Amino acid sequence: MNYRPALLSATIAALLATTSLDAASPMGPVNIPQRSEIPTSQHALAFFIQRFQHDLDSTEHTYDITAGLARENALRKLYLGWQARLGEFDTAALSAEDRIDAALFRRELNYRLSQLDFEHMRNAQALALLPEVAPLIAMSEKRRALMPLDAGKAKRLIDRAASALKADETELRGNASVSPVIALRAAKLLSAFRDDFKQWHTFYNGYDPAYTQQVAKSYELLDKQFEATAKFLRNDIAKAVDPETIIGDPIGRDAVEAALRYEMIPYSPEQIVQLAERELSWCQEEMRKVAAEMGYADWHDALEHIKKDGPAVGDQPQYVVKLADEAIDFIERRQLVTIPELAKRDWRMTMLTPEYQLQAPFFLGGEDVWVAYPHDSMPADKQAMALRGNNRYFSRAVVHHELIPGHHLQHFYNNRYNSHRELFGTPFWSEGWALYWEFLLYQKEFAESPEQKLGMLFWRSHRAARILFSLSFHMGTMTPQQSIDMLVERVGHERANAAAEVRRSFAGDYGPMYQAAYMLGGLQFWQLRQELVESGKMTDREFHDAILKGGPMPVSVVRSRLMGTDPDPDLKPAWRFYPALDAK
């Protein structure tokens, strides 16, 4: 007798008997869509945009060599081809949602084409400090194109590059005219290409007799030279031997202005700086009032008081869970936004490593949450900074930013509604949304004590300061050190945490508008709420659910969508969302 089917059936029955998909489960009941939520037909352009995303993935998968011209040309051809295909649509005949997608897709393709030109220029500046590396990049791309190897030619190119890089190091040493910014950019490019070229080497070495006999030894010498050259450029020219050194790569005022236009912001860089100063001044006045409630004449002293109140070492994870639940309960009792049961617990928690905390001294989030807190390998002063910078009141003001109703809830909705619009994602929507909730929760008195208010105001000040130092740095009017000093003096940061914040902002992992996007996007959502919720046209829940279900896009386009009007076909900046800048 075959007993296995019977045993399997009994096992499944036992599992089902002991498993309950109800509120007692860690993640709560699963949310199955109602029939009314299931779309009867797909938007016409959703399929079109999803196909582009797959084509883009395929192109980047095939053409993946750092600074490769074949990669640039393949992407340019892809963008131009889809641009032409998009032009074949009769926009007037499309639905309202499709007209929005058409405008956003046109904007995206135009931006990507302009970025190819920008990246080409920056790579050319870096390659000028890396003589004879460009031919190696081209040779790596030929391997990706499955073209046969000429071992003799490969050896000549490798030997020539090794000699040129060594000679160039001698020439550059003591040359004060070399830009540290471009030197560091060149070091990063070379380190990235070194990884690419290692793959090129391992593809042939031991498999191709001609390569193994003629080229392998030359490659090994070049690889050592790559390492030496990158170290020389980073340490001797850029003076970035210390991992805590901040160099940055400013883009200039014209590029800042162009980036603002792309994000549909109708104000000049100088006006945005005025806006940030106004918001920071408001925050500091509020902090003075709250400090007085706490019995302090100086808000710096009040901040010092709350920095000393943090969870015991080891207790931070459970405190984060408590804070997440507090925010969810507050929002649901006031019916501010729909929070699916599954979303309340389908996130993970990770502790940030000591190394990562050099750039991210506070919580990070998205789909999950990453917690900054002391590690026993950190020096005592770094542990103290981590404790003070992640005290109870600062943490209470950021957990809801990272989880619910902030980034985690965004991620949950983005995967389920208009997912094709993730292509149009902008930090003005993602970070702006999370910061907008800080505004709204402050207004709704989520902070129950002066200490909790001060924690929220600290972060609001921080967002205004981010606009000031990031735009000023990229326009050449503020140095990294001045940025650190401002965060310490005008926001109240610990100096080590201020340095980490500036380092993170200028390390190149974020676009130049990213840090400004928090408050600018938040102010856009805030003004839109005045127009639609405070006017009585929508409830808070209707307003917030409509934003989440619409998917990521510039907030100006969100406004058009919710008001039932077509955005400008070219998405030119027009909505002046900050009336104070227009006041006489």
Side-chain angles (χ1 to χ4, degrees):
M1 176 181 177
N2 186 349
Y3 63 90
R4 289 181 179 175
L7 178 61
L8 181 60
S9 297
T11 303
I12 292 173
L15 284 171
L16 290 174
T18 58
T19 302
S20 174
L21 292 177
D22 58 20
S25 300
M27 292 202 304
V30 176
N31 297 95
I32 308 301
Q34 300 296 318
R35 289 189 63 180
S36 59
E37 292 185 83
I38 301 173
T40 55
S41 63
Q42 192 177 40
H43 295 172
L45 286 189
F47 169 81
F48 186 75
I49 292 165
Q50 288 165 348
R51 178 65 64 84
F52 165 78
Q53 289 173 307
H54 290 306
D55 286 358
L56 177 61
D57 289 343
S58 295
T59 303
E60 291 183 328
H61 175 73
T62 307
Y63 299 91
D64 65 340
I65 303 301
T66 301
L69 288 179
R71 174 186 179 277
E72 179 186 327
N73 291 335
L75 289 171
R76 191 179 301 278
K77 182 178 179 181
L78 177 74
Y79 301 153
L80 289 172
W82 278 93
Q83 207 174 49
R85 181 57 54 84
L86 180 60
E88 296 172 2
F89 282 85
D90 179 5
T91 306
L94 297 173
S95 68
E97 292 288 348
D98 283 330
R99 289 197 296 274
I100 288 173
D101 282 339
L104 289 169
F105 192 29
R106 188 179 302 109
R107 165 184 178 266
E108 183 68 23
L109 292 170
N110 288 338
Y111 177 71
R112 286 175 174 271
L113 284 166
S114 69
Q115 284 300 105
L116 287 179
D117 295 334
F118 186 64
E119 290 172 11
H120 182 94
M121 177 269 293
R122 289 164 71 85
N123 287 339
Q125 291 174 334
L127 286 169
L129 298 181
L130 304 171
E132 303 300 334
V133 169
L136 303 183
I137 293 174
M139 188 163 64
S140 297
E141 291 201 301
K142 288 181 179 179
R143 200 265 299 184
R144 273 283 183 254
L146 307 178
M147 297 174 66
L149 175 73
D150 182 333
K153 182 178 180 181
K155 183 179 187 306
R156 288 193 298 274
L157 291 176
I158 288 173
D159 290 343
R160 187 186 303 163
S163 298
L165 289 170
K166 190 171 184 179
D168 195 52
E169 182 178 327
T170 302
E171 183 178 334
L172 290 176
R173 194 176 297 278
N175 186 344
S177 65
V178 180
S179 164
V181 170
I182 295 179
L184 187 60
R185 193 191 308 160
K188 290 179 179 179
L189 189 156
L190 186 60
S191 295
F193 176 65
R194 184 186 178 200
D195 291 339
D196 296 339
F197 208 52
K198 183 177 182 179
Q199 293 181 29
W200 176 87
H201 165 71
T202 56
F203 183 84
Y204 297 112
N205 192 40
Y207 299 101
D208 185 320
Y211 177 88
T212 307
Q213 294 169 14
Q214 299 179 44
V215 188
K217 288 184 179 179
S218 290
Y219 165 81
E220 290 171 4
L221 293 174
L222 176 66
D223 186 62
K224 292 178 181 178
Q225 185 60 53
F226 275 175
E227 183 179 19
T229 297
K231 183 178 179 181
F232 166 73
L233 290 169
R234 181 179 297 106
N235 298 348
D236 294 67
I237 303 299
K239 307 297 183 185
V241 62
D242 185 343
E244 297 193 25
T245 300
I246 304 170
I247 301 293
D249 199 346
I251 62 174
R253 186 196 177 283
D254 289 347
V256 168
E257 188 172 38
L260 287 170
R261 284 198 304 270
Y262 169 71
E263 296 291 355
M264 302 183 70
I265 304 297
Y267 304 111
S268 70
E270 290 76 17
Q271 287 178 307
I272 296 299
V273 169
Q274 291 174 25
L275 175 156
E277 284 284 5
R278 186 183 182 92
E279 289 295 317
L280 184 55
S281 296
W282 180 90
C283 289
Q284 290 177 332
E285 180 59 31
E286 287 293 300
M287 291 170 81
R288 278 191 284 272
K289 294 176 184 176
V290 172
E293 291 182 52
M294 295 169 60
Y296 292 97
D298 188 326
W299 61 264
H300 291 89
D301 295 332
L303 272 180
E304 178 64 24
H305 171 79
I306 67 173
K307 285 179 182 179
K308 296 175 182 177
D309 186 0
V313 175
D315 288 352
Q316 186 80 330
Q318 288 308 305
Y319 184 59
V320 171
V321 174
K322 175 179 177 292
L323 295 178
D325 289 341
E326 279 184 8
I328 290 169
D329 180 63
F330 184 91
I331 289 162
E332 288 198 315
R333 280 190 284 112
R334 287 156 181 79
Q335 300 184 355
L336 297 180
V337 66
T338 300
I339 306 174
E341 287 297 319
L342 185 60
K344 295 176 183 178
R345 279 292 178 268
D346 72 323
W347 49 268
R348 300 177 181 179
M349 188 189 307
T350 302
M351 303 301 283
L352 287 168
T353 65
E355 295 76 20
Y356 206 90
Q357 288 186 58
L358 289 174
Q359 289 194 24
F362 310 111
F363 289 23
L364 296 177
E367 180 179 5
D368 301 315
V369 63
W370 291 268
V371 179
Y373 210 59
H375 186 273
D376 62 12
S377 68
M378 296 164 67
D381 62 327
K382 299 289 187 187
Q383 291 193 43
M385 293 296 115
L387 279 169
R388 289 164 59 80
N390 294 279
N391 59 73
R392 292 180 185 276
Y393 306 105
F394 286 9
S395 296
R396 190 174 188 272
V398 296
V399 168
H400 61 74
H401 177 110
E402 305 299 353
L403 291 176
I404 294 173
H407 295 319
H408 176 71
L409 192 62
Q410 286 177 311
H411 178 85
F412 189 92
Y413 272 88
N414 286 350
N415 284 342
R416 292 161 174 80
Y417 297 90
N418 285 306
S419 58
H420 65 286
R421 285 181 176 157
E422 291 205 55
L423 179 67
F424 310 134
T426 164
F428 286 74
W429 187 87
S430 57
E431 299 294 359
W433 165 269
L435 183 60
Y436 155 82
W437 277 97
E438 294 183 35
F439 293 174
L440 185 58
L441 291 179
Y442 189 82
Q443 184 200 60
K444 299 280 186 185
E445 298 182 345
F446 178 64
E448 298 173 343
S449 68
E451 290 82 2
Q452 290 178 357
K453 287 181 181 178
L454 193 60
M456 296 188 79
L457 289 167
F458 168 84
W459 284 113
R460 189 159 173 171
S461 301
H462 174 71
R463 314 305 187 185
R466 271 182 165 174
I467 297 177
L468 289 175
F469 78 70
S470 62
L471 262 62
S472 298
F473 170 78
H474 281 293
M475 292 192 294
T477 59
M478 186 177 286
T479 67
Q481 186 56 53
Q482 289 171 330
S483 301
I484 294 170
D485 293 342
M486 183 186 68
L487 288 175
V488 172
E489 296 160 9
R490 301 188 63 187
V491 179
H493 273 288
E494 299 297 302
R495 186 161 291 276
N497 291 344
E501 170 64 22
V502 173
R503 187 180 304 111
R504 173 193 177 204
S505 300
F506 299 155
D509 298 330
Y510 296 90
M513 287 293 104
Y514 197 95
Q515 305 299 14
Y518 288 75
M519 179 157 278
L520 291 178
L523 290 169
Q524 287 183 304
F525 279 122
W526 187 253
Q527 178 60 26
L528 186 54
R529 184 178 180 276
Q530 308 311 304
E531 296 176 6
L532 293 177
V533 177
E534 293 297 332
S535 67
K537 295 176 182 176
M538 301 179 80
T539 66
D540 268 313
R541 173 174 279 178
E542 289 169 341
F543 176 68
H544 297 133
D545 287 2
I547 292 169
L548 288 172
K549 290 180 179 180
M553 61 185 73
V555 185
S556 182
V557 182
V558 173
R559 180 174 183 261
S560 297
R561 180 176 178 272
L562 297 192
M563 289 186 167
T565 61
D566 281 347
D568 178 86
D570 297 321
L571 298 187
K572 295 176 182 176
W575 176 38
R576 302 185 72 83
F577 58 88
Y578 198 75
L581 286 179
D582 299 319
K584 297 292 185 181

